């Protein structure tokens, strides 16, 4: 089926814009966004007033945005609605927010919020989620209220394709290598600066050697599309395309995983995914569904690779989220994930520990890595 212009726009919006809600809108066809539904233990008037107090507190010096010191501005106020704008601390990016307030029961308010990037974007490092959360979070979430502190429960958090929803990313301050930006950060609890200073991927990478045969995943970080419940018989295969695809992809990608719980349902991407070579020498690729423009692809970086020893360390780009144990990538679709690959399916504990040490030395928080069960995977998977 061939998509016309209007059909393509509708399909793109389904992928990137999320479900319909009270949102501010954006002139960018493809853009990151996030929607939340929250119950606040407060009257709606008090909840709205607290948000306005935080915005006013930026100029008054009584409050600052913990998410890299963004600048909020009130664009409009209705009886049950509040419209805001947030610019990143470095002034480069602008997002718009809409909150609606409905009384849920005496002393409780249902808050629905939507934040949309105003420029073309897919991955947002949880920025749109944090835009919203920083307006209603309380002391229990590590925030500093201005007028009224109230408990909240987030009943739903729905980021668009590629956008994040990591609450840890919201409590971050600018660092010297990304002053007032929204990417690299240093945790408010004194966690390390991320990405680590002089962080780099592999050097002298040979893509043809890398894709020559199947890789078995021995440990991996849970992400939205590959949760820990699918940590069984996971493998990845790659094939070089004879020529670049329409969207500029160079590699066919196949990912396979199975449910840990019986009957071990199979999750296989088939020919759905493709990769674009961004910089072959440093092992930097970008992966996305083959039908999407390659600018929407998420980073896939080879951090370490040794064909003779049969291992590779793969990351969803540079780890930009600071945590007590080191630096992490996001947990969504793009800019997310950490994997230990081996050529042999049978686990070699010494080799796994070697690659874990490489990851730790690179500055990664390796506590996010969980084992993958590669036993009893069937004869079709026994590739050595």
């Amino acid at each position: 089926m061939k998509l016309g212009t209007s059909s393509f726009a509708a399909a793109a919006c389904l992928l990137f814009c999320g479900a319909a809600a009270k949102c501010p809108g954006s002139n960018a066809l493809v853009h990151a966004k996030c929607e939340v539904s929250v119950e606040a233990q407060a009257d709606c008037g008090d909840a709205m007033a607290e948000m306005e107090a935080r915005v006013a507190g930026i100029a008054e010096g009584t409050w600052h945005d913990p998410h890299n010191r963004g600048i909020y501005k009130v664009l409009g106020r209705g009886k049950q609605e509040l419209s805001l704008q947030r610019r990143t601390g470095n002034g480069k990016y602008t997002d718009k927010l809409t909150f609606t307030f409905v009384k849920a029961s005496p002393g409780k308010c249902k808050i629905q919020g939507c934040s949309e990037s105003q420029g073309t974007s897919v991955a947002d490092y949880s920025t749109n989620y944090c835009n919203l959360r920083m307006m209603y979070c309380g002391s229990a979430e590590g925030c500093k209220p201005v007028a009224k502190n109230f408990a909240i429960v987030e009943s739903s958090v729905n980021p668009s394709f590629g956008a994040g929803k990591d609450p840890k990313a919201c409590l971050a301050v600018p660092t010297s290598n990304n002053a007032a930006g929204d990417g690299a950060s240093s945790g408010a609890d004194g966690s390390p600066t991320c990405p680590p200073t002089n962080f780099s991927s592999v050097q002298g990478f040979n893509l043809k050697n890398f894709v020559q045969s199947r890789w078995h995943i021995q440990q991996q970080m849970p992400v939205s599309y590959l949760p820990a419940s699918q940590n069984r018989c996971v493998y990845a295969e790659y094939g070089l395309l004879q020529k670049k695809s329409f969207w500029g992809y160079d590699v066919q990608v196949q990912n396979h995983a199975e449910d840990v719980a019986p009957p071990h349902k199979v999750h296989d991407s088939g020919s759905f995914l493709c990769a674009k070579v961004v910089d072959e020498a440093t092992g930097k690729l970008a992966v996305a569904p083959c039908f999407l423009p390659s600018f929407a692809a998420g980073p896939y970086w080879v951090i370490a690779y040794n064909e003779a020893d049969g291992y590779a360390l793969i990351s969803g780009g540079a780890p930009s989220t600071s945590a007590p144990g080191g630096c992490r990538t996001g947990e969504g679709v793009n800019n997310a994930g950490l994997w230990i690959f081996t050529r042999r399916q049978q686990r070699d504990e010494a080799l796994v520990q070697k690659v874990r040490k490489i990851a730790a030395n690179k500055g990664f928080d390796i506590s996010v890595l969980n084992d993958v069960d590669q036993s009893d995977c069937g004869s079709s998977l026994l590739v050595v």
Side-chain angles (χ1 to χ4, degrees), residues 18-291:
K22 181 66 174 180
C23 289
S26 174
N27 289 327
L29 173 63
V30 177
H31 61 277
K33 69 180 286 188
C34 186
E35 300 172 21
V36 298
S37 183
V38 183
E39 183 177 270
Q41 302 291 317
D43 292 331
C44 288
D46 289 340
M48 187 183 298
E50 172 60 26
M51 292 187 184
E52 292 179 291
R54 296 185 191 189
V55 175
I58 296 174
E60 297 168 357
T62 57
W63 186 82
H64 74 272
D65 175 16
H67 185 224
N68 295 307
R69 294 186 181 274
I71 306 299
Y72 287 85
K73 177 182 178 181
V74 175
L75 298 180
R77 188 186 194 281
K79 185 177 181 180
Q80 294 180 306
E81 184 174 316
L82 187 62
S83 298
L84 305 175
Q85 172 185 286
R86 178 185 182 270
R87 288 182 65 81
T88 54
N90 57 17
K92 289 185 177 180
Y93 306 104
T94 300
D95 305 321
K96 290 185 177 180
L97 299 72
T98 299
F99 288 100
T100 57
F101 306 82
V102 177
K103 182 178 180 179
S105 60
K108 294 183 179 181
C109 182
K110 181 179 180 181
I111 303 172
Q112 288 187 299
C114 178
S115 174
E116 292 190 272
S117 297
Q118 298 303 294
T120 300
S121 57
V122 178
D124 72 347
Y125 306 94
S126 299
T127 295
N128 281 284
Y129 168 54
C130 294
N131 291 347
L132 300 165
R133 183 177 171 90
M134 293 303 93
M135 286 289 97
Y136 56 75
C137 58
S139 58
E141 290 73 45
C143 298
K144 295 182 178 180
V146 176
K148 186 176 180 64
N149 183 28
F150 47 82
I152 59 101
V153 176
E154 292 177 329
S155 56
S156 67
V157 177
N158 299 307
S160 58
F161 178 90
K165 57 176 183 178
D166 182 4
K168 296 185 294 296
C170 301
L171 301 178
V173 295
T175 63
S176 58
N177 62 349
N178 190 38
D182 264 49
S185 62
S186 176
D189 60 356
S191 301
T193 297
C194 299
T197 303
N198 299 322
F199 181 84
S200 63
S201 55
V202 71
Q203 302 297 311
F205 181 66
N206 187 313
L207 180 61
K208 289 184 179 180
N209 288 344
F210 182 80
V211 304
Q212 65 183 324
S213 60
R214 180 177 294 180
W215 287 102
H216 299 277
I217 289 72
Q218 301 296 342
Q219 288 191 334
Q220 61 188 15
M221 171 185 175
V223 291
S224 62
Y225 60 89
L226 190 55
S229 61
Q230 296 176 19
N231 280 12
R232 182 177 189 274
C233 302
V234 184
Y235 68 78
E237 289 187 335
Y238 307 92
L240 296 178
L241 299 176
Q242 291 185 350
K243 64 178 182 178
K244 282 184 178 290
S245 71
F246 176 80
W247 290 117
Y249 293 109
D250 308 282
V251 182
Q252 183 73 61
V253 179
Q254 180 188 1
N255 292 332
H256 178 102
E258 299 177 12
D259 284 349
V260 174
H264 308 306
K265 179 181 176 181
V266 171
H267 306 271
D268 196 295
S269 65
S271 60
F272 182 70
L273 298 174
C274 287
K276 175 185 177 179
V277 176
V278 177
D279 183 355
E280 180 175 354
T282 59
K284 293 180 180 179
L285 293 85
V287 176
C290 301
F291 65 86

